[in-house]
Amino acid sequence: MTNKVHPYIPNMVPEVKEEMLKEIGAQSTMELYSCIPEELQLKKDMDIPEALTEYELRRHVEGLLSKNISANEYLNFLGAGCWQHFVPAVCDEVNQRAEFLTAYAGEPYEDHGRYQALFEYQSLLAELVDMDVVNVPTFDWGQAAATSIRMAARITGRKKILLASTVAPERSKIVVNYGSPELEFDFVGFEENTGLLDLDDLASKLSNDTAAIYFENPSYLGFIESQGAEISKLAKKHGALMVVGVDPISLGVLAPPSQYGADIVCGDLQPLGMHMNYSGGQAGFIATRDEEKFVNEYPSRLFGIVPTVKEGEYGFGDVAYERTSFALREKGKESVGTQTALWGITAGVYLSLLGPNGMYELGQTIMQNSQYAVKQINKIPGVKGSRLSSPFFKEFIIDFNDTGLSVEAINKKLLEKKIFGGKDLSKEFPEYGQSALYCVTEVHTKDDLDQLITSLKEIVTN
Amino acid sequence: MERIQRKSKVRDFHQAKWNEPVIFELHQKGERGVEIPLSNKAIVSEVGDGISAIPDSIARKEKPNLPEIGQARVLRHYVRLSQETLGSDFNVEIGQGTCTMKYIPKINELLVRNPKIMELHPLQDESTVQGMLEIIYKLDLCMREISGMDHFSFQPSGGTQALFAMAAIARKYHESRGEADQRNEIITTIFSHPSQAATAAVKGFKVITLHPDEDGFPDIEKLKAVVSERTAGFVVANPEDTGIYNPRIKEFTDIVHEAGGICYYDQANANGLLGITRAKEAGFDMCFFNLHKTFAAPHMCGGPATGALGVTEELKEFLPAPIVEFDGDKYYLNEDLEHSIGKVRAFHGVAQTVLRSYAWIRALGPDGLKEVAQTAVLNNNYLYHKVQKIRGASAPYVKGQRLEQVRYSWEQMAKETGVTTEDVQRRMTDFGLHYWTSHHPYIVPQPFTLEPTESYSKTDLDEYIAALEQISEEAYENPEVVQNAPYNSTIHKLDEQDFLDDPEKWCITWRAYQKKTKQPERI
């Protein structure tokens, strides 16, 4: 055992340890473990490398990280659920504040700021999605969708769920995992050339047992689903709820799903001020109308505004706490715990910075940049810039089938040219053959896009 | 010059109070917080306005009603709110028992701000993320040593999600043996985290909750009475929230195994156990660690986080995919797990937390980890010894045998003075200290749970004890002082009435507040 006092463990100081042991009447710290039976005590030393000093640690970890190539170094066109966007410096400044970084579960008194910041996040996102209730964030879009769907099942008292076949396959896995065995899932087809939901198939699968239809807009494949109002009408006919997943960064220019009939809206906050972090920036949100039957089905914490005993002072607290698993264990609504609160605060900062005009300009810029990319890619022989004919937002399918090359081969060549090509869809959507999902945002300059286009041209023509 | 006398045992503290408006009240039309990198002119001349492509049915007609605020004012607002938040960096944060609020090393924060992690996309080619995969894999190796398990997944992004994943594995495991319909019960204990019961229920299990025996141990006779051919699994923490270690834990897991169930161990908090005792030897098939607890990742107001999920070789194929493996030459993502429960979270979980915990373990080494456990237990027993001497406080159940935390009770003080644990909670704020009551239900009356970890010095612990002593004195001498607290906090006591529970009155967003508190128009 090392005798050196570790900087993280002040009470390793021998005199202090002695004094404390004396106070409690013990001879050694190991004596305090006498309740652990001998046969359960670990006899061997753990095979973990010896301790590093802070300087050594920094050298070691930075050495490991240096083996990575980031999207700052290469051009990145990957999206598919995690997207590269511009992150305002103020977002990082706020979420790196030690106060927010190291706070946890304080009360409305010592953590007034945390409560207010999360209430404000709820309020700002509520404006973006045009609904009156938003929760403290969940884990990610997939889990937010799963919970939205489970909420719909509880609200309707039904078990059957319809999912659009264009829902991100990885998200579907999360949804089905969280929903089974209680719920039954069925998939609704889509029109191959547009991506749009097959309304006939939907009509044939909807019944008075259907709890909810869930689709995403913009979809995983990038296209904009323009039939929201029709889908809602069909769902309503059967008393089913419409649950819509949305990329919130599109909502400066796209109508929020509540305006075309969504009952529950969910999505991922990562685009709103979170770095990609190898997927560590994901955070889910759920929004509904301010109706008791909806609010009471949230598993999440919901912060509300209240007066204090002092006139003119804002206070904040937990709304309808008794519905949660914190209060009721297995009888609460699903489960709640540590999820992604800091990303909620950050998304609030982001929306405060951008405001209505920033969100509009951002949406427009993404549409312009991505349309430019598609238009130029279309000029490459054998390549279709967008496999789908529908309008799209941020992401689109590039069809390489006529080049005779696989996406895998193309991406390998792109990597040599310091470009991360789009996600290979050939396994997830075999109907599109050798196609890839590309993501273009406001971070891409014309030079970046031209570099992609030139590179693709070289690869497919050589 | 005279010596300045500083005699007070408790801290003369006042929390920051900025009385900030709600952000919408900062709106000034025309102000702007940040500029967007717009498309360049050549792009615009090529594609036009871009948004005409949006079908009318789905074009946003009115811009969202977000406030317009200059950058400096947005920053000032949020920095002020941060100052009104008592982070553990400047707090003797031992009052949030069960959550292992330990020192968050600054070096780790510096490391996670490296663009070579921040700007990685989760679908990048494996050859471009070898460093990241190596960190994940090496943390896996450390976790195997600490737990005795054989493989880890870092995809679950919180303890609740890890518990959910374990319930899902339990179901899938029995499915793979054709027993899923029959085995539909999960057994847990009342002093385990509420999420154990809640996630089992989400996964469709019937939950059976064991109450403790009179000494506070999980009752083995009760376990024997409820195990059967319906038992799918047993989930428990050890020590539980009481801090009492159950020495018969191996008998528990044996009983469940004999009945055909599997055992999973809630090690959200394992701070007193590092290098001392492990999940494997106690007979568990799975366990999880909260990296934001024992392994020094920050709590971040409640996530993002990681519930590191470990399983035995037999259950490897059930893990959420992908897991990171090493072929002797390079690190790779293994998606090919035969019985995988699928996904619980997008991609690979929270990479920053994985990096932080890896760095923390490497800063401690094997001996340091053991020192962490021993010092956490020493600190806790010191506190246990001292708190029981405070008038009106007690530690129910068996004497001694506490490891890293203790659930205490103010039952006597509440009876004698009317001052409740919630009153104490608010009053502690006045001394710059956080204090949490406990999870519901309050099996221990008027509970509070303290967990001092290894991070705090004896002086820090003495400060916390002095504040509790002072509050006890106040309760017996002038209970209103405690009951009307806080006085030195950012805000005063909430006037809750039914504003948080009446659907007509609750306001979960600013716009709902505007609607529900609309002022009558002047005539």
PDB file of all heavy atoms in Angstrom, chain A residues 33 40 42 67-68 82 110 128 130 132 140 177 255 275 313, chain B residues 17 58 60 116 119 121 134 203 272 276-277 346 434 509 511 515:
ATOM      1  N   TYR A  33     -14.257  -3.288   7.777  1.00  0.00           N
ATOM      2  CA  TYR A  33     -14.809  -4.221   6.779  1.00  0.00           C
ATOM      3  C   TYR A  33     -15.089  -5.601   7.373  1.00  0.00           C
ATOM      4  O   TYR A  33     -15.304  -6.549   6.624  1.00  0.00           O
ATOM      5  CB  TYR A  33     -13.825  -4.374   5.626  1.00  0.00           C
ATOM      6  CG  TYR A  33     -13.795  -3.193   4.671  1.00  0.00           C
ATOM      7  CD1 TYR A  33     -12.681  -2.366   4.589  1.00  0.00           C
ATOM      8  CD2 TYR A  33     -14.882  -2.930   3.844  1.00  0.00           C
ATOM      9  CE1 TYR A  33     -12.643  -1.301   3.713  1.00  0.00           C
ATOM     10  CE2 TYR A  33     -14.851  -1.856   2.958  1.00  0.00           C
ATOM     11  CZ  TYR A  33     -13.731  -1.049   2.900  1.00  0.00           C
ATOM     12  OH  TYR A  33     -13.708  -0.001   2.022  1.00  0.00           O
ATOM     13  N   LEU A  40     -15.590 -13.562   0.714  1.00  0.00           N
ATOM     14  CA  LEU A  40     -15.988 -12.563  -0.290  1.00  0.00           C
ATOM     15  C   LEU A  40     -14.944 -11.459  -0.451  1.00  0.00           C
ATOM     16  O   LEU A  40     -15.066 -10.607  -1.323  1.00  0.00           O
ATOM     17  CB  LEU A  40     -17.342 -11.946   0.071  1.00  0.00           C
ATOM     18  CG  LEU A  40     -18.553 -12.881   0.045  1.00  0.00           C
ATOM     19  CD1 LEU A  40     -19.846 -12.088   0.239  1.00  0.00           C
ATOM     20  CD2 LEU A  40     -18.618 -13.688  -1.246  1.00  0.00           C
ATOM     21  N   LEU A  42     -11.618  -9.766  -1.580  1.00  0.00           N
ATOM     22  CA  LEU A  42     -10.724  -9.961  -2.724  1.00  0.00           C
ATOM     23  C   LEU A  42      -9.304 -10.206  -2.219  1.00  0.00           C
ATOM     24  O   LEU A  42      -8.744  -9.371  -1.510  1.00  0.00           O
ATOM     25  CB  LEU A  42     -10.779  -8.724  -3.629  1.00  0.00           C
ATOM     26  CG  LEU A  42     -10.016  -8.828  -4.944  1.00  0.00           C
ATOM     27  CD1 LEU A  42     -10.596  -9.913  -5.840  1.00  0.00           C
ATOM     28  CD2 LEU A  42     -10.044  -7.482  -5.673  1.00  0.00           C
ATOM     29  N   LYS A  67      -4.453   9.638 -31.538  1.00  0.00           N
ATOM     30  CA  LYS A  67      -4.675   8.602 -32.558  1.00  0.00           C
ATOM     31  C   LYS A  67      -6.002   8.814 -33.294  1.00  0.00           C
ATOM     32  O   LYS A  67      -6.268   8.144 -34.286  1.00  0.00           O
ATOM     33  CB  LYS A  67      -4.673   7.218 -31.915  1.00  0.00           C
ATOM     34  CG  LYS A  67      -3.357   6.853 -31.252  1.00  0.00           C
ATOM     35  CD  LYS A  67      -3.469   5.473 -30.606  1.00  0.00           C
ATOM     36  CE  LYS A  67      -2.260   5.194 -29.725  1.00  0.00           C
ATOM     37  NZ  LYS A  67      -2.409   3.921 -29.012  1.00  0.00           N
ATOM     38  N   ASN A  68      -6.855   9.666 -32.745  1.00  0.00           N
ATOM     39  CA  ASN A  68      -8.138   9.940 -33.402  1.00  0.00           C
ATOM     40  C   ASN A  68      -7.963  11.014 -34.469  1.00  0.00           C
ATOM     41  O   ASN A  68      -7.092  11.870 -34.373  1.00  0.00           O
ATOM     42  CB  ASN A  68      -9.174  10.457 -32.388  1.00  0.00           C
ATOM     43  CG  ASN A  68      -9.497   9.437 -31.315  1.00  0.00           C
ATOM     44  OD1 ASN A  68      -9.382   8.239 -31.542  1.00  0.00           O
ATOM     45  ND2 ASN A  68      -9.902   9.929 -30.154  1.00  0.00           N
ATOM     46  N   CYS A  82     -26.627  11.941 -35.420  1.00  0.00           N
ATOM     47  CA  CYS A  82     -25.677  12.791 -34.691  1.00  0.00           C
ATOM     48  C   CYS A  82     -25.096  13.732 -35.739  1.00  0.00           C
ATOM     49  O   CYS A  82     -24.598  13.267 -36.763  1.00  0.00           O
ATOM     50  CB  CYS A  82     -24.592  11.935 -34.047  1.00  0.00           C
ATOM     51  SG  CYS A  82     -23.358  12.895 -33.149  1.00  0.00           S
ATOM     52  N   GLU A 110     -30.913  25.813  -2.764  1.00  0.00           N
ATOM     53  CA  GLU A 110     -29.489  25.974  -3.099  1.00  0.00           C
ATOM     54  C   GLU A 110     -29.247  25.893  -4.605  1.00  0.00           C
ATOM     55  O   GLU A 110     -28.214  26.340  -5.093  1.00  0.00           O
ATOM     56  CB  GLU A 110     -28.604  24.979  -2.340  1.00  0.00           C
ATOM     57  CG  GLU A 110     -28.798  23.530  -2.702  1.00  0.00           C
ATOM     58  CD  GLU A 110     -29.775  22.836  -1.786  1.00  0.00           C
ATOM     59  OE1 GLU A 110     -30.679  23.502  -1.250  1.00  0.00           O
ATOM     60  OE2 GLU A 110     -29.640  21.607  -1.609  1.00  0.00           O
ATOM     61  N   LEU A 128     -40.383  26.712 -29.700  1.00  0.00           N
ATOM     62  CA  LEU A 128     -39.905  26.148 -30.960  1.00  0.00           C
ATOM     63  C   LEU A 128     -40.885  25.095 -31.481  1.00  0.00           C
ATOM     64  O   LEU A 128     -41.167  25.034 -32.679  1.00  0.00           O
ATOM     65  CB  LEU A 128     -38.511  25.540 -30.755  1.00  0.00           C
ATOM     66  CG  LEU A 128     -37.720  25.225 -32.023  1.00  0.00           C
ATOM     67  CD1 LEU A 128     -37.387  26.498 -32.793  1.00  0.00           C
ATOM     68  CD2 LEU A 128     -36.428  24.480 -31.682  1.00  0.00           C
ATOM     69  N   ASP A 130     -43.994  24.813 -30.424  1.00  0.00           N
ATOM     70  CA  ASP A 130     -45.342  25.364 -30.292  1.00  0.00           C
ATOM     71  C   ASP A 130     -46.264  24.448 -29.491  1.00  0.00           C
ATOM     72  O   ASP A 130     -47.339  24.062 -29.934  1.00  0.00           O
ATOM     73  CB  ASP A 130     -45.932  25.654 -31.692  1.00  0.00           C
ATOM     74  CG  ASP A 130     -47.148  26.582 -31.610  1.00  0.00           C
ATOM     75  OD1 ASP A 130     -47.338  27.216 -30.546  1.00  0.00           O
ATOM     76  OD2 ASP A 130     -47.911  26.657 -32.597  1.00  0.00           O
ATOM     77  N   ASP A 132     -47.255  23.522 -25.031  1.00  0.00           N
ATOM     78  CA  ASP A 132     -47.204  24.186 -23.727  1.00  0.00           C
ATOM     79  C   ASP A 132     -46.436  23.432 -22.643  1.00  0.00           C
ATOM     80  O   ASP A 132     -46.191  23.974 -21.571  1.00  0.00           O
ATOM     81  CB  ASP A 132     -48.634  24.461 -23.229  1.00  0.00           C
ATOM     82  CG  ASP A 132     -49.257  25.636 -23.984  1.00  0.00           C
ATOM     83  OD1 ASP A 132     -48.513  26.321 -24.715  1.00  0.00           O
ATOM     84  OD2 ASP A 132     -50.470  25.861 -23.845  1.00  0.00           O
ATOM     85  N   ASP A 140     -32.067  10.355 -24.998  1.00  0.00           N
ATOM     86  CA  ASP A 140     -31.818  10.684 -26.399  1.00  0.00           C
ATOM     87  C   ASP A 140     -33.148  10.581 -27.148  1.00  0.00           C
ATOM     88  O   ASP A 140     -34.182  10.272 -26.559  1.00  0.00           O
ATOM     89  CB  ASP A 140     -30.745   9.776 -27.010  1.00  0.00           C
ATOM     90  CG  ASP A 140     -31.154   8.309 -27.023  1.00  0.00           C
ATOM     91  OD1 ASP A 140     -32.288   7.989 -26.601  1.00  0.00           O
ATOM     92  OD2 ASP A 140     -30.348   7.475 -27.456  1.00  0.00           O
ATOM     93  N   ASN A 177     -37.273  -2.038 -27.839  1.00  0.00           N
ATOM     94  CA  ASN A 177     -36.710  -2.550 -26.590  1.00  0.00           C
ATOM     95  C   ASN A 177     -37.465  -1.985 -25.383  1.00  0.00           C
ATOM     96  O   ASN A 177     -37.852  -2.722 -24.474  1.00  0.00           O
ATOM     97  CB  ASN A 177     -35.220  -2.181 -26.522  1.00  0.00           C
ATOM     98  CG  ASN A 177     -34.479  -2.964 -25.453  1.00  0.00           C
ATOM     99  OD1 ASN A 177     -35.047  -3.817 -24.789  1.00  0.00           O
ATOM    100  ND2 ASN A 177     -33.200  -2.681 -25.297  1.00  0.00           N
ATOM    101  N   ALA A 255     -42.751  23.757 -40.256  1.00  0.00           N
ATOM    102  CA  ALA A 255     -43.826  23.885 -39.272  1.00  0.00           C
ATOM    103  C   ALA A 255     -43.613  22.857 -38.167  1.00  0.00           C
ATOM    104  O   ALA A 255     -43.261  21.708 -38.446  1.00  0.00           O
ATOM    105  CB  ALA A 255     -45.169  23.635 -39.935  1.00  0.00           C
ATOM    106  N   HIS A 275     -21.676  19.540 -28.950  1.00  0.00           N
ATOM    107  CA  HIS A 275     -20.685  18.920 -29.823  1.00  0.00           C
ATOM    108  C   HIS A 275     -21.033  17.435 -29.981  1.00  0.00           C
ATOM    109  O   HIS A 275     -21.684  16.851 -29.121  1.00  0.00           O
ATOM    110  CB  HIS A 275     -19.288  19.053 -29.211  1.00  0.00           C
ATOM    111  CG  HIS A 275     -18.835  20.473 -29.088  1.00  0.00           C
ATOM    112  ND1 HIS A 275     -18.177  21.132 -30.086  1.00  0.00           N
ATOM    113  CD2 HIS A 275     -19.002  21.376 -28.088  1.00  0.00           C
ATOM    114  CE1 HIS A 275     -17.917  22.377 -29.703  1.00  0.00           C
ATOM    115  NE2 HIS A 275     -18.420  22.550 -28.497  1.00  0.00           N
ATOM    116  N   GLU A 313     -40.695  37.426  -5.897  1.00  0.00           N
ATOM    117  CA  GLU A 313     -39.592  36.481  -6.080  1.00  0.00           C
ATOM    118  C   GLU A 313     -40.097  35.266  -6.862  1.00  0.00           C
ATOM    119  O   GLU A 313     -41.125  34.700  -6.531  1.00  0.00           O
ATOM    120  CB  GLU A 313     -39.104  36.028  -4.695  1.00  0.00           C
ATOM    121  CG  GLU A 313     -37.684  35.582  -4.643  1.00  0.00           C
ATOM    122  CD  GLU A 313     -37.219  35.382  -3.180  1.00  0.00           C
ATOM    123  OE1 GLU A 313     -37.787  34.514  -2.480  1.00  0.00           O
ATOM    124  OE2 GLU A 313     -36.327  36.101  -2.749  1.00  0.00           O
TER     125      GLU A 313
ATOM    126  N   LYS B  17     -27.610  35.957  -4.966  1.00  0.00           N
ATOM    127  CA  LYS B  17     -29.008  36.258  -5.285  1.00  0.00           C
ATOM    128  C   LYS B  17     -29.021  37.377  -6.319  1.00  0.00           C
ATOM    129  O   LYS B  17     -28.665  38.505  -6.028  1.00  0.00           O
ATOM    130  CB  LYS B  17     -29.770  36.695  -4.038  1.00  0.00           C
ATOM    131  CG  LYS B  17     -31.208  37.087  -4.322  1.00  0.00           C
ATOM    132  CD  LYS B  17     -31.885  37.644  -3.077  1.00  0.00           C
ATOM    133  CE  LYS B  17     -33.290  38.122  -3.372  1.00  0.00           C
ATOM    134  NZ  LYS B  17     -34.224  37.051  -3.720  1.00  0.00           N
ATOM    135  N   ILE B  58     -46.198  22.428 -44.913  1.00  0.00           N
ATOM    136  CA  ILE B  58     -45.297  22.192 -43.784  1.00  0.00           C
ATOM    137  C   ILE B  58     -44.290  23.328 -43.598  1.00  0.00           C
ATOM    138  O   ILE B  58     -43.329  23.212 -42.823  1.00  0.00           O
ATOM    139  CB  ILE B  58     -44.634  20.811 -43.934  1.00  0.00           C
ATOM    140  CG1 ILE B  58     -43.997  20.417 -42.613  1.00  0.00           C
ATOM    141  CG2 ILE B  58     -43.711  20.719 -45.115  1.00  0.00           C
ATOM    142  CD1 ILE B  58     -43.396  19.109 -42.567  1.00  0.00           C
ATOM    143  N   ARG B  60     -43.127  26.771 -41.989  1.00  0.00           N
ATOM    144  CA  ARG B  60     -43.479  27.504 -40.771  1.00  0.00           C
ATOM    145  C   ARG B  60     -43.959  28.891 -41.174  1.00  0.00           C
ATOM    146  O   ARG B  60     -43.236  29.623 -41.849  1.00  0.00           O
ATOM    147  CB  ARG B  60     -42.287  27.597 -39.825  1.00  0.00           C
ATOM    148  CG  ARG B  60     -42.674  28.201 -38.478  1.00  0.00           C
ATOM    149  CD  ARG B  60     -41.692  27.859 -37.364  1.00  0.00           C
ATOM    150  NE  ARG B  60     -42.322  28.152 -36.078  1.00  0.00           N
ATOM    151  CZ  ARG B  60     -42.133  27.479 -34.961  1.00  0.00           C
ATOM    152  NH1 ARG B  60     -41.318  26.462 -34.930  1.00  0.00           N
ATOM    153  NH2 ARG B  60     -42.750  27.817 -33.834  1.00  0.00           N
ATOM    154  N   LYS B 116     -10.267  16.258 -30.230  1.00  0.00           N
ATOM    155  CA  LYS B 116     -10.129  14.887 -30.701  1.00  0.00           C
ATOM    156  C   LYS B 116     -11.064  13.920 -29.983  1.00  0.00           C
ATOM    157  O   LYS B 116     -11.053  12.719 -30.243  1.00  0.00           O
ATOM    158  CB  LYS B 116      -8.677  14.433 -30.607  1.00  0.00           C
ATOM    159  CG  LYS B 116      -7.859  14.971 -31.784  1.00  0.00           C
ATOM    160  CD  LYS B 116      -6.435  14.503 -31.712  1.00  0.00           C
ATOM    161  CE  LYS B 116      -5.649  14.880 -32.955  1.00  0.00           C
ATOM    162  NZ  LYS B 116      -5.978  14.006 -34.101  1.00  0.00           N
ATOM    163  N   GLU B 119     -15.121  16.458 -31.249  1.00  0.00           N
ATOM    164  CA  GLU B 119     -15.536  16.550 -32.648  1.00  0.00           C
ATOM    165  C   GLU B 119     -15.437  15.207 -33.370  1.00  0.00           C
ATOM    166  O   GLU B 119     -15.161  15.148 -34.558  1.00  0.00           O
ATOM    167  CB  GLU B 119     -14.706  17.621 -33.374  1.00  0.00           C
ATOM    168  CG  GLU B 119     -14.722  18.992 -32.709  1.00  0.00           C
ATOM    169  CD  GLU B 119     -16.103  19.625 -32.635  1.00  0.00           C
ATOM    170  OE1 GLU B 119     -17.011  19.192 -33.367  1.00  0.00           O
ATOM    171  OE2 GLU B 119     -16.282  20.556 -31.820  1.00  0.00           O
ATOM    172  N   HIS B 121     -17.417  11.970 -34.810  1.00  0.00           N
ATOM    173  CA  HIS B 121     -18.750  11.463 -35.136  1.00  0.00           C
ATOM    174  C   HIS B 121     -18.794   9.964 -34.826  1.00  0.00           C
ATOM    175  O   HIS B 121     -17.839   9.245 -35.128  1.00  0.00           O
ATOM    176  CB  HIS B 121     -19.067  11.720 -36.618  1.00  0.00           C
ATOM    177  CG  HIS B 121     -20.505  11.439 -36.943  1.00  0.00           C
ATOM    178  ND1 HIS B 121     -21.001  10.162 -37.060  1.00  0.00           N
ATOM    179  CD2 HIS B 121     -21.555  12.270 -37.134  1.00  0.00           C
ATOM    180  CE1 HIS B 121     -22.301  10.226 -37.331  1.00  0.00           C
ATOM    181  NE2 HIS B 121     -22.658  11.498 -37.374  1.00  0.00           N
ATOM    182  N   GLU B 134      -9.669   2.590 -27.905  1.00  0.00           N
ATOM    183  CA  GLU B 134      -8.698   2.060 -26.935  1.00  0.00           C
ATOM    184  C   GLU B 134      -9.068   2.490 -25.511  1.00  0.00           C
ATOM    185  O   GLU B 134      -8.967   1.701 -24.566  1.00  0.00           O
ATOM    186  CB  GLU B 134      -7.285   2.550 -27.304  1.00  0.00           C
ATOM    187  CG  GLU B 134      -6.199   1.943 -26.422  1.00  0.00           C
ATOM    188  CD  GLU B 134      -4.784   2.297 -26.890  1.00  0.00           C
ATOM    189  OE1 GLU B 134      -4.612   2.738 -28.047  1.00  0.00           O
ATOM    190  OE2 GLU B 134      -3.853   2.129 -26.082  1.00  0.00           O
ATOM    191  N   LYS B 203     -40.121  -3.323 -18.145  1.00  0.00           N
ATOM    192  CA  LYS B 203     -39.802  -4.489 -18.972  1.00  0.00           C
ATOM    193  C   LYS B 203     -40.844  -5.596 -18.777  1.00  0.00           C
ATOM    194  O   LYS B 203     -40.643  -6.729 -19.220  1.00  0.00           O
ATOM    195  CB  LYS B 203     -38.391  -4.966 -18.622  1.00  0.00           C
ATOM    196  CG  LYS B 203     -37.645  -5.644 -19.746  1.00  0.00           C
ATOM    197  CD  LYS B 203     -37.538  -4.850 -21.031  1.00  0.00           C
ATOM    198  CE  LYS B 203     -37.510  -5.727 -22.249  1.00  0.00           C
ATOM    199  NZ  LYS B 203     -37.619  -5.053 -23.534  1.00  0.00           N
ATOM    200  N   GLY B 272     -17.315   2.165  -1.480  1.00  0.00           N
ATOM    201  CA  GLY B 272     -16.654   1.543  -0.328  1.00  0.00           C
ATOM    202  C   GLY B 272     -16.069   0.177  -0.651  1.00  0.00           C
ATOM    203  O   GLY B 272     -15.506  -0.485   0.229  1.00  0.00           O
ATOM    204  N   ILE B 276     -11.936  -4.378  -2.600  1.00  0.00           N
ATOM    205  CA  ILE B 276     -12.238  -5.052  -1.338  1.00  0.00           C
ATOM    206  C   ILE B 276     -13.078  -6.305  -1.581  1.00  0.00           C
ATOM    207  O   ILE B 276     -12.772  -7.386  -1.095  1.00  0.00           O
ATOM    208  CB  ILE B 276     -13.020  -4.109  -0.372  1.00  0.00           C
ATOM    209  CG1 ILE B 276     -12.264  -2.794  -0.152  1.00  0.00           C
ATOM    210  CG2 ILE B 276     -13.349  -4.822   0.929  1.00  0.00           C
ATOM    211  CD1 ILE B 276     -11.020  -2.887   0.681  1.00  0.00           C
ATOM    212  N   THR B 277     -14.152  -6.130  -2.337  1.00  0.00           N
ATOM    213  CA  THR B 277     -15.041  -7.256  -2.625  1.00  0.00           C
ATOM    214  C   THR B 277     -15.730  -6.987  -3.948  1.00  0.00           C
ATOM    215  O   THR B 277     -15.863  -5.833  -4.351  1.00  0.00           O
ATOM    216  CB  THR B 277     -16.057  -7.483  -1.478  1.00  0.00           C
ATOM    217  OG1 THR B 277     -16.793  -8.675  -1.749  1.00  0.00           O
ATOM    218  CG2 THR B 277     -17.014  -6.326  -1.331  1.00  0.00           C
ATOM    219  N   ALA B 346     -28.569   5.644 -28.294  1.00  0.00           N
ATOM    220  CA  ALA B 346     -27.964   5.853 -29.596  1.00  0.00           C
ATOM    221  C   ALA B 346     -26.452   5.606 -29.563  1.00  0.00           C
ATOM    222  O   ALA B 346     -25.765   6.018 -28.624  1.00  0.00           O
ATOM    223  CB  ALA B 346     -28.228   7.280 -30.068  1.00  0.00           C
ATOM    224  N   HIS B 434     -25.541  21.369   1.181  1.00  0.00           N
ATOM    225  CA  HIS B 434     -26.652  20.633   0.599  1.00  0.00           C
ATOM    226  C   HIS B 434     -26.988  19.439   1.490  1.00  0.00           C
ATOM    227  O   HIS B 434     -26.097  18.818   2.081  1.00  0.00           O
ATOM    228  CB  HIS B 434     -26.287  20.162  -0.807  1.00  0.00           C
ATOM    229  CG  HIS B 434     -27.275  19.205  -1.394  1.00  0.00           C
ATOM    230  ND1 HIS B 434     -28.610  19.525  -1.544  1.00  0.00           N
ATOM    231  CD2 HIS B 434     -27.132  17.945  -1.860  1.00  0.00           C
ATOM    232  CE1 HIS B 434     -29.236  18.489  -2.078  1.00  0.00           C
ATOM    233  NE2 HIS B 434     -28.375  17.516  -2.276  1.00  0.00           N
ATOM    234  N   THR B 509     -44.215  25.876 -18.442  1.00  0.00           N
ATOM    235  CA  THR B 509     -43.440  26.733 -19.358  1.00  0.00           C
ATOM    236  C   THR B 509     -43.879  28.179 -19.162  1.00  0.00           C
ATOM    237  O   THR B 509     -44.945  28.454 -18.607  1.00  0.00           O
ATOM    238  CB  THR B 509     -43.687  26.344 -20.831  1.00  0.00           C
ATOM    239  OG1 THR B 509     -45.098  26.345 -21.067  1.00  0.00           O
ATOM    240  CG2 THR B 509     -43.118  24.960 -21.147  1.00  0.00           C
ATOM    241  N   ARG B 511     -44.873  30.192 -21.444  1.00  0.00           N
ATOM    242  CA  ARG B 511     -46.091  30.516 -22.181  1.00  0.00           C
ATOM    243  C   ARG B 511     -47.329  30.036 -21.434  1.00  0.00           C
ATOM    244  O   ARG B 511     -48.364  30.699 -21.444  1.00  0.00           O
ATOM    245  CB  ARG B 511     -46.039  29.992 -23.618  1.00  0.00           C
ATOM    246  CG  ARG B 511     -45.941  28.494 -23.755  1.00  0.00           C
ATOM    247  CD  ARG B 511     -45.473  28.137 -25.153  1.00  0.00           C
ATOM    248  NE  ARG B 511     -46.484  27.461 -25.934  1.00  0.00           N
ATOM    249  CZ  ARG B 511     -46.650  27.651 -27.252  1.00  0.00           C
ATOM    250  NH1 ARG B 511     -45.905  28.494 -27.915  1.00  0.00           N
ATOM    251  NH2 ARG B 511     -47.549  26.991 -27.908  1.00  0.00           N
ATOM    252  N   LYS B 515     -50.431  32.411 -20.043  1.00  0.00           N
ATOM    253  CA  LYS B 515     -51.859  32.142 -20.270  1.00  0.00           C
ATOM    254  C   LYS B 515     -52.627  32.035 -18.959  1.00  0.00           C
ATOM    255  O   LYS B 515     -53.717  32.563 -18.814  1.00  0.00           O
ATOM    256  CB  LYS B 515     -52.031  30.815 -21.034  1.00  0.00           C
ATOM    257  CG  LYS B 515     -51.641  30.883 -22.508  1.00  0.00           C
ATOM    258  CD  LYS B 515     -51.811  29.503 -23.154  1.00  0.00           C
ATOM    259  CE  LYS B 515     -51.136  29.458 -24.522  1.00  0.00           C
ATOM    260  NZ  LYS B 515     -51.051  28.092 -25.067  1.00  0.00           N
TER     261      LYS B 515
END
